[in-house]
Amino acid sequence: SATIAAVSTADPNRKDALVTISEGQTGSVILGAGIGSDSGVIGQIAYDQRNFDIADWPENWNELITGKSFRGAGQRLRISLNPGTRQSSYLVSFTEPYVYDKPVSMEVAGTGFEREWESYTEDRMGGRLGFEKRYSDDWRRGISFRLDNVDVTDLESDAPSEVRDIKGNNALFGTRFYIGKDTTDSRFRPTKGYNFDLGYEQVTLDHNFGILSGTQRWYHTLYEDLSELKTVLETKIRGGTIVGDAPLFEKFYAGGTSTIRGFDYRGVSPRAANGDPIGSDWIINGSAEVAVPLG
């Protein structure tokens, strides 16, 4: 919050303004649990600090406990633990939105993911490093790198050959170039405008292939009530294709709440002889969703 007060000066026709700014709550801790058709029972423990300062080390334990340290530079630190019955995921990410006070952001992240699929278990650990430059006309461009190790274990006796071919550890290094544009009026709850992203990633090490993918979203307000709450229509088109020979854990799948409702999670896919989904080298799907505020 901010308060502005007039300060008298020697010139009776002029006054200075004294602006006092008080920082609000920028950090949060989230504890939760849920159940879904895609992921089963899953819990959440998350810490999010939107005004982090990696250089502000505590001088004593009291500063660390009370949260007076590691704050003030506008950086973001997020730590998220999501253990579950079908899948578990973990994330630690750090974002610097203005590298050297330029409209260039840097993100560093470590991730973990474990999921029991139809005939095997996927255990993925990895790291991310990305840079993005923002322009005054809403365009952006960036480059990102990832290093993953995907461990395929616990194969069932009828696991298809596409799974047996990638049994054990699979090392991946990806370099992605992308462009995008965002004209929406809000980053978190947009009510108008559009969001566009198109990129190509080249992956090497144990597997060599490329991924070309893009997503376009449009937002349009259908109705606004007397409380200025808005009913919004979101439409989306997503497409992608794989160049080369990718393992099945990098291919495209559809089905489930986030893509095609009414189908099982990853239920829209080419199938192996035993009926297991093995992914596709291309995908295109569209959706429309109306969000109605409850108050």
Side-chain angles (χ1 to χ4, degrees):
S1 62
T3 58
I4 302 176
V7 180
S8 299
T9 64
D11 185 351
N13 297 318
R14 178 181 175 184
K15 290 186 176 181
D16 292 336
L18 176 63
V19 181
T20 304
I21 299 177
S22 300
E23 182 180 4
Q25 181 66 35
T26 60
S28 61
V29 176
I30 301 174
L31 302 175
I35 185 171
S37 58
D38 292 353
S39 55
V41 178
I42 192 166
Q44 182 184 39
I45 304 173
Y47 171 75
D48 190 6
Q49 174 56 258
R50 300 182 303 278
N51 192 24
F52 188 68
D53 185 355
I54 196 172
D56 182 22
W57 286 80
E59 296 181 359
N60 51 57
W61 283 105
N62 184 60
E63 285 192 357
L64 180 63
I65 295 173
T66 58
K68 294 182 179 180
S69 58
F70 293 118
R71 289 181 61 186
Q75 300 160 350
R76 184 170 187 176
L77 175 70
R78 180 172 177 82
I79 302 173
S80 179
L81 309 176
N82 302 282
T85 56
R86 294 184 188 173
Q87 74 173 42
S88 299
S89 61
Y90 310 95
L91 168 71
V92 178
S93 68
F94 167 80
T95 303
E96 168 56 74
Y98 292 93
V99 177
Y100 297 118
D101 294 325
K102 303 292 185 180
V104 176
S105 63
M106 178 188 72
E107 181 178 11
V108 182
T111 61
F113 174 84
E114 183 178 359
R115 172 91 190 204
E116 296 180 3
W117 298 114
E118 290 78 7
S119 59
Y120 66 97
T121 297
E122 175 186 339
D123 190 353
R124 182 187 296 247
M125 298 291 292
R128 305 285 188 275
L129 172 63
F131 298 91
E132 179 180 279
K133 184 175 182 179
R134 305 177 298 276
Y135 297 88
S136 58
D137 58 357
D138 298 324
W139 281 93
R140 66 184 188 274
R141 64 178 179 176
I143 182 173
S144 62
F145 308 92
R146 65 165 169 141
L147 180 62
D148 288 342
N149 182 73
V150 183
D151 191 13
V152 177
T153 60
D154 300 331
L155 275 65
E156 295 185 357
S157 58
D158 64 341
S161 60
E162 291 83 357
V163 175
R164 297 187 180 278
D165 290 342
I166 57 173
K167 180 181 178 181
N169 291 304
N170 298 263
L172 306 174
F173 179 77
T175 302
R176 184 174 189 262
F177 302 91
Y178 67 91
I179 60 172
K181 188 173 186 179
D182 188 351
T183 68
T184 58
D185 57 343
S186 171
R187 182 177 180 181
F188 302 103
R189 298 182 64 182
T191 63
K192 63 179 181 179
Y194 66 87
N195 188 307
F196 161 77
D197 180 274
L198 176 66
Y200 177 79
E201 181 183 30
Q202 183 62 46
V203 182
T204 59
L205 294 184
D206 287 343
H207 303 274
N208 293 278
F209 58 94
I211 303 175
L212 176 65
S213 61
T215 303
Q216 172 81 45
R217 294 181 174 90
W218 294 270
Y219 300 90
H220 177 69
T221 297
L222 300 177
Y223 175 75
E224 181 176 352
D225 63 19
L226 297 177
S227 301
E228 298 184 347
L229 297 176
K230 298 179 180 180
T231 298
V232 178
L233 169 66
E234 175 192 353
T235 53
K236 180 178 73 172
I237 294 178
R238 173 196 174 211
T241 185
I242 290 177
V243 182
D245 187 15
L248 82 169
F249 52 72
E250 291 287 312
K251 292 191 176 185
F252 297 111
Y253 299 83
T257 57
S258 61
T259 53
I260 305 177
R261 297 178 184 271
F263 289 85
D264 291 337
Y265 184 46
R266 302 205 319 173
V268 181
S269 165
R271 302 277 174 164
N274 69 343
D276 287 357
I278 54 175
S280 172
D281 287 338
W282 64 273
I283 189 172
I284 182 168
N285 66 282
S287 64
E289 180 178 295
V290 176
V292 180
L294 299 178

